[in-house]
């Protein structure tokens, strides 16, 4: 008979950690996607020279490991700027910029993949730049960029495990706490992995559904 010291209260503790993972991921992906779309359009429209400052900032966010970004941002905001921000707020700020940096490249690539002839045809019909982007470019670019965006969102969800360094008790940190107390690493890691699967599976399936639906249009 399987014997474990894991209680209902411990399972609820893990569920709360999973809830924190979902909240941090949802906020970061939402804000990061909005910023990423803005940055991606600017990156495309301004070109490599005028967009150089923006490219430099985005490259920093993509190049420096997320763990270091979390530690340095927390120290900078708290020690230098004297801002009394919670670890949750710092985690969302860093993950949002991290998401935006990658999303900007996804958006830029999606826009560049739209055939130039399609854009010229839209402009020849009298569409303004805004109408062209809203009615033609962004819908087509969304279809192209969706698989990469789904992968990014899933990656951010898994990378959110690093926010423990700013004192945010998410799913993996909750698991580590229980492992230290109960000394049942295999069982707890299996449960942790199951939680991650339950969180990520619907998003992956939804992305697959949209891809299949759009491919049949």
């Amino acid at each position: 008979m399987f014997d474990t010291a894991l209680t209902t209260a411990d399972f609820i503790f893990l569920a709360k950690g999973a809830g924190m993972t979902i909240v941090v991921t949802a906020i970061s992906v939402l804000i990061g996607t909005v910023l990423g779309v803005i940055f991606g359009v600017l990156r495309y429209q301004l070109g490599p020279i005028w967009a150089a400052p923006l490219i430099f900032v985005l490259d920093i966010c993509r190049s420096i490991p997320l763990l270091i970004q979390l530690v340095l941002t927390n120290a900078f905001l708290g020690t230098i700027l004297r801002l009394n921000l919670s670890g949750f707020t710092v985690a969302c700020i860093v993950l949002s910029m991290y998401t935006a940096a990658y999303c900007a490249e996804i958006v830029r690539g999606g826009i560049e993949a739209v055939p130039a002839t399609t854009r010229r045809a839209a402009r020849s019909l009298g569409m303004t730049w805004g109408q062209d982007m809203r009615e033609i470019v962004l819908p087509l670019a969304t279809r192209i960029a969706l698989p990469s965006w789904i992968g990014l969102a899933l990656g951010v969800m898994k990378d959110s495990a690093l926010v423990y360094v700013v004192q945010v008790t998410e799913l993996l940190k909750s698991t580590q706490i229980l492992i230290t107390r109960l000394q049942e690493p295999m069982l707890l890691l299996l449960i942790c992995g199951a939680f991650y699967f339950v969180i990520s599976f619907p998003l992956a399936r939804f992305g697959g559904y949209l891809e299949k639906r759009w491919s049949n249009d």
Side-chain angles (χ1 to χ4, degrees):
M1 183 175 180
F2 184 73
D3 187 26
T4 177
L6 186 68
T7 65
T8 302
D10 295 328
F11 192 83
I12 293 174
F13 180 67
L14 286 175
K16 288 181 179 178
M20 179 59 70
T21 293
I22 294 172
V23 171
V24 170
T25 301
I27 293 175
S28 302
V29 170
L30 176 60
I31 296 175
T33 299
V34 172
L35 292 176
V37 171
I38 296 172
F39 294 158
V41 173
L42 289 175
R43 173 96 161 74
Y44 174 78
Q45 287 298 132
L46 296 178
I49 297 178
W50 291 104
L54 175 61
I55 295 172
F56 178 72
V57 173
L58 297 179
D59 282 344
I60 290 176
C61 294
R62 286 197 302 270
S63 302
I64 298 177
L66 185 57
L67 182 64
I68 297 177
Q69 292 186 48
L70 287 163
V71 173
L72 292 181
T73 301
N74 189 48
F76 178 76
L77 294 176
T79 305
I80 298 178
L81 296 185
R82 303 291 183 180
L83 296 177
N84 188 25
L85 300 179
S86 65
F88 175 81
T89 302
V90 173
C92 289
I93 291 173
V94 174
L95 278 174
S96 294
M97 285 304 300
Y98 178 80
T99 304
Y102 281 97
C103 186
E105 287 303 303
I106 293 174
V107 171
R108 180 190 61 80
I111 293 174
E112 289 183 347
V114 177
T117 53
T118 302
R119 301 199 64 184
R120 285 196 294 268
R123 301 305 288 271
S124 67
L125 292 174
M127 285 188 173
T128 64
W129 179 86
Q131 291 173 327
D132 175 33
M133 292 295 295
R134 185 176 62 254
E135 303 295 337
I136 304 296
V137 177
L138 289 181
L140 291 176
T142 299
R143 297 188 179 198
I144 297 169
L146 179 65
S148 297
W149 181 87
I150 293 292
L152 173 61
L154 292 174
V156 172
M157 184 270 293
K158 289 180 283 187
D159 289 339
S160 68
L162 297 174
V163 301
Y164 75 90
V165 298
V166 290
Q167 307 306 313
V168 176
T169 306
E170 42 64 61
L171 178 55
L172 187 58
K173 180 62 176 179
S174 300
T175 304
Q176 291 172 338
I177 292 172
L178 290 182
I179 288 175
T180 301
R181 181 165 63 83
L182 301 178
Q183 296 299 306
E184 297 183 24
M186 292 300 295
L187 173 62
L188 289 167
L189 288 175
L190 282 173
I191 295 174
C192 178
F195 268 115
Y196 275 115
F197 175 78
V198 170
I199 294 170
S200 61
F201 183 76
L203 179 61
R205 290 300 90 203
F206 180 66
Y209 164 76
L210 288 181
E211 285 187 70
K212 183 177 180 181
R213 180 176 178 180
W214 286 345
S215 65
N216 293 330
D217 288 346

